[in-house]
Amino acid sequence: MRVAVQGTRGSFSEAAARSQWPDLETVPCREVGDVVAAVREGRADAGCLAIENSLVGSVTPTYDLLHQAFGNGELHLSREVLLPVHHAIMSLPGATLDRITRVLSHPVALGQCRVWLGRTLPAVELVNAWDTAGSAEIVARGADPTQAAICGAHAAAPYGLQVLEDRIEDDPTNQTRFLTFTREPGPDGDAAVPQKTSLIVWTDHRPGMLAAVLQAFAGRGVNLTSLQSRPERSAPWTYRFYFDVEGARNEPRLAEALEAIEALASRIVVLGSYAAWQGEGAVVGPVAPH
């Protein structure tokens, strides 16, 4: 199973994908758009994209891509994955913390370790990298024991690095939410597995329109789990709204709500329904065609 991820070997995206496909072959991609392209063009069988972090909030490059990626039905959402995000600092074998002068990582990861860095390495130079695991690769290639990377501890072994200290994140509850998807539609969902549905709604620029959309869900007992807004590029100072709700699109309550929203909104696009996360490491039923 070839799975495209944003990042390289040892990235958190790879860890999220591997929780669903343990024997996957990683297809590393630099940008989120490259992940979608790899699946669409057949270079990967599936993809895995980060969409939301419990501390930082939405991953805006992914949200900006959702309509293009899933709005026309060519690609199919399959599962939601929640991955705990724990950071470690690592360097070359034999390196010690007191000799580290330069630390590389993704800027979000550096921010999530700000307290530890300020307390332990207050004078260190912080360098932004495009990917957490990519920073480990740079440190391994550099052969400089004064350089270190911050990434998941699972990235140490692939690059021959030594973990100097683990669990250095400021908040141990940190999690990232991922969505997996495939080019071919997966098998019909197991009725015993709770589903989620993601959709985009464009409303007229009039008072109360968003409230009316929300009431269409609430009045039918459909639980809203996420609401995000992003600028509509074709019309400055207007917005599109991204909803995640509990239930599959063909469930009666949700189907009725979607029908009501179609009458209210200027446009609605259902991105797809997929298996909701059911607990750490859980894979219930088939994930995708191999």
Side-chain angles (χ1 to χ4, degrees):
M1 185 76 173
R2 297 167 301 162
V3 181
V5 301
Q6 194 273 319
T8 186
R9 288 184 307 150
S11 66
F12 287 108
S13 292
E14 184 193 51
R18 201 170 289 282
S19 73
Q20 304 305 294
W21 298 286
D23 300 322
L24 65 81
E25 175 189 342
T26 304
V27 180
C29 300
R30 190 173 182 89
E31 307 291 345
V32 294
D34 300 332
V35 177
V36 172
V39 180
R40 181 173 282 145
E41 296 166 7
R43 291 180 282 114
D45 305 302
C48 183
L49 286 173
I51 192 166
E52 192 174 7
N53 179 266
S54 61
L55 302 181
V56 178
S58 60
V59 180
T60 54
T62 302
Y63 272 100
D64 289 341
L65 193 70
L66 288 177
H67 183 217
Q68 174 207 338
F70 303 105
N72 60 9
E74 288 182 2
L75 300 176
H76 304 272
L77 295 170
S78 54
R79 286 191 182 274
E80 172 188 60
V81 178
L82 265 58
L83 184 76
V85 176
H86 301 304
H87 294 299
I89 185 166
M90 59 190 67
S91 187
L92 299 173
T96 57
L97 273 176
D98 60 349
R99 294 183 60 198
I100 299 301
T101 61
R102 197 165 185 258
V103 176
L104 295 77
S105 194
H106 190 280
V108 170
L110 292 173
Q112 291 173 347
C113 301
R114 184 177 64 253
V115 172
W116 185 92
L117 286 165
R119 182 179 65 244
T120 311
L121 299 171
V124 79
E125 178 190 2
L126 303 179
V127 180
N128 292 340
W130 69 282
D131 176 50
T132 53
S135 67
E137 186 177 18
I138 292 169
V139 168
R141 286 203 314 260
D144 180 355
T146 68
Q147 279 198 143
I150 289 178
C151 48
H154 55 268
Y159 299 107
L161 298 180
Q162 166 194 347
V163 173
L164 303 178
E165 190 165 337
D166 197 5
R167 304 294 288 266
I168 66 171
E169 67 277 357
D170 299 339
D171 190 332
T173 67
N174 189 13
Q175 296 183 0
T176 296
R177 177 176 172 242
F178 295 82
L179 293 178
T180 66
F181 62 96
T182 58
R183 189 171 60 258
E184 301 297 331
D188 290 338
D190 185 337
V193 179
Q195 301 279 303
K196 280 187 177 179
T197 296
S198 293
L199 61 144
I200 312 175
V201 177
W202 290 258
T203 61
D204 292 332
H205 202 46
R206 293 186 286 114
M209 292 307 299
L210 179 57
V213 171
L214 293 171
Q215 183 56 36
F217 291 126
R220 293 162 179 83
V222 175
N223 190 37
L224 178 70
T225 62
S226 180
L227 169 59
Q228 307 285 340
S229 65
R230 294 295 298 152
E232 181 55 59
R233 295 178 181 177
S234 61
W237 307 114
T238 62
Y239 299 85
R240 59 177 70 179
F241 297 96
Y242 294 81
F243 296 86
D244 292 332
V245 296
E246 292 180 351
R249 65 186 297 175
N250 59 356
E251 292 179 16
R253 287 187 302 177
L254 181 51
E256 186 178 325
L258 295 176
E259 185 176 349
I261 292 169
E262 284 184 5
L264 291 168
S266 57
R267 188 180 179 197
I268 177 174
V269 171
V270 179
L271 300 171
S273 298
Y274 48 91
W277 184 243
Q278 291 301 294
E280 186 173 353
V283 179
V284 182
V287 177
H290 284 57

